[in-house]
Amino acid sequence: MRNTWRKVLRVSTGFTVPLLAAGVITAGSPGFGQYKVKNGDTLSHIAATYGTDVRTLVALNNLPGNGNAIYAGEVLKLPGKKTTARGKARSTKRTQVGRVTYVVKPGDTISKIAKRYRITQANLLAANGLRPRDHIYAGKPLLIPVKVHAKAVAKKKATKSKKRNNTFAGRTYADHIVDAADRNRAVLRKRKLPTRSQMRSLIISTAKRHGLDPELALAISWQESGWKQRVVSPANAVGVMQVIPSTGKFVSSVVGRKLDLLKPQDNVTAGVVLLSRLTAAAKLDIAVAGYYQGLGGVRRNGMYPDTKRYVQSVLRLKGQFEKGWNPVG
């Protein structure tokens, strides 16, 4: 049973982006474009299409940490230059935002580089996941948001459209897994689901019922999905707790009934019971890492760099929840 558990945990969640950069650019800052999320979109695909990266989109939109907590119909801000109302339609047809790599030279500062490329310091910081107090050093590569001609972007989009978007967070998933994720996403899109405030209450009550620290459950679920049940990753990690079907089957055997991951209560139960098993088997930081990487993988290989960032972000969130923070209240 334990070996099976370790095996299914390895791919239970997707890529995470740390929340360090969140809030670098506020909703009132100039220079944003917009994109309405379509069915089947992922944050990584949107970022590649519009010449930016996942970290930047997470920062601009204050998204939860795993970088895939988006759903069809949601409007995302994109980095770019501000245009006047008269020139907006014409300029958006001609240009999109791309990026070039600049290697920092001795004496460079963020302000100097931003001025040289005629961009705001805020956009430059967000494009590289930096905070205002972070230091740069000679030899460090920086991504510079720049304008590119729309024809080049259109050509790139046309090329990409010929291939299925089966890759997420550096991993490529089989067609049948992505097809299953698409089906689950379609089902959830048609359902009336709890609000994020209601999901928060459900997570707390479920955690207490299973003897799990509610703040830990809140932190994991916020990191994974932002308390959004509609989120389904290309790996077919489902719902607010981002649980894959094989893990759901394992937890079903633990609780003694079949769990339907598309149902909010069952999804939360699956994630909470899994977390309770992990925290009983390992120290807190290892248990959190196990939720992301798989406990067996952590013990065999140690934490991967993205796992370390995930753990840091979850523990930071846990501390904030313990102080009474409520991001949707």
Side-chain angles (χ1 to χ4, degrees), residues 82-100:
K82 186 178 181 181
T83 59
T84 63
R86 178 179 298 176
K88 183 176 181 180
R90 181 172 60 184
S91 62
T92 53
K93 288 181 181 179
R94 289 182 176 179
T95 60
Q96 295 285 3
V97 177
R99 54 183 177 168
V100 297

Side-chain angles (χ1 to χ4, degrees), residues 30 42 45 50 57 61 74 92 110-111 131 145 149 169 171 187 190-192 196 223 243 247 271 274 282 323:
T42 65
H45 182 249
Y50 287 91
L57 294 180
N61 294 279
E74 186 173 12
T92 53
I110 288 292
S111 61
R131 295 167 291 183
H149 198 278
R171 300 180 180 92
V187 170
K190 296 177 181 178
R191 290 188 179 179
K192 183 178 180 180
R196 292 204 286 180
Q223 176 79 13
V243 182
T247 302
L274 181 59
K323 295 176 182 177

Side-chain angles (χ1 to χ4, degrees), residues 44-310:
S44 57
H45 182 249
I46 295 170
T49 300
Y50 287 91
T52 182
D53 53 39
V54 171
R55 187 186 298 270
T56 301
L57 294 180
V58 168
L60 289 179
N61 294 279
N62 196 25
L63 297 174
N66 91 335
N68 197 46
I70 58 174
Y71 54 89
E74 186 173 12
V75 177
L76 299 178
K77 288 181 288 187
L78 302 172
K81 295 287 187 179
K82 186 178 181 181
T83 59
T84 63
R86 178 179 298 176
K88 183 176 181 180
R90 181 172 60 184
S91 62
T92 53
K93 288 181 181 179
R94 289 182 176 179
T95 60
Q96 295 285 3
V97 177
R99 54 183 177 168
V100 297
T101 301
Y102 173 79
V103 179
V104 176
K105 297 178 176 57
D108 276 342
T109 63
I110 288 292
S111 61
K112 287 181 180 179
I113 297 171
K115 184 176 181 180
R116 184 179 307 157
Y117 285 91
R118 297 181 180 180
I119 59 175
T120 66
Q121 293 185 47
N123 276 346
L124 180 57
L125 289 168
N128 292 276
L130 298 173
R131 295 167 291 183
R133 64 177 179 271
D134 288 342
H135 297 290
I136 58 174
Y137 51 87
K140 177 181 177 62
L142 293 178
L143 296 177
I144 312 294
V146 295
K147 286 184 176 181
V148 295
H149 198 278
K151 287 184 179 180
V153 175
K155 184 176 180 181
K156 182 178 180 181
K157 289 175 68 176
T159 302
K160 283 182 173 292
S161 65
K162 296 178 182 178
K163 297 180 180 180
R164 294 196 60 182
N165 185 33
N166 289 22
T167 300
F168 179 67
R171 300 180 180 92
T172 300
Y173 298 96
D175 285 349
H176 73 276
I177 294 177
V178 179
D179 288 341
D182 289 342
R183 289 193 295 271
N184 285 333
R185 201 176 291 114
V187 170
L188 288 171
R189 188 167 59 251
K190 296 177 181 178
R191 290 188 179 179
K192 183 178 180 180
L193 297 170
T195 65
R196 292 204 286 180
S197 292
Q198 291 169 333
M199 288 302 308
R200 177 181 180 273
S201 299
L202 181 60
I203 293 163
I204 291 172
S205 62
T206 305
K208 289 180 178 179
R209 186 163 61 253
H210 289 277
L212 181 71
D213 181 354
E215 282 74 27
L216 176 60
L218 289 173
I220 288 283
S221 53
W222 180 261
Q223 176 79 13
E224 290 290 340
S225 69
W227 304 338
K228 299 175 184 176
Q229 178 63 13
R230 295 190 197 279
V231 176
V232 182
S233 79
N236 202 21
V238 178
V240 67
M241 301 300 292
Q242 288 291 277
V243 182
I244 62 172
S246 55
T247 302
K249 289 180 181 179
F250 164 72
V251 180
S252 294
S253 69
V254 174
V255 300
R257 67 180 181 87
K258 185 177 180 180
L259 297 174
D260 182 352
L261 298 179
L262 299 180
K263 295 181 178 179
Q265 178 64 76
D266 283 4
N267 192 283
V268 173
T269 298
V272 163
V273 170
L274 181 59
L275 270 173
S276 68
R277 285 296 185 97
L278 287 166
T279 53
K283 295 190 303 180
L284 180 59
D285 59 336
I286 302 299
V288 172
Y291 195 92
Y292 178 75
Q293 184 181 323
L295 187 58
V298 173
R299 286 174 170 168
R300 287 192 301 271
N301 308 312
M303 294 187 201
Y304 300 133
D306 56 324
T307 305
K308 291 179 180 178
R309 292 193 294 270
Y310 178 89

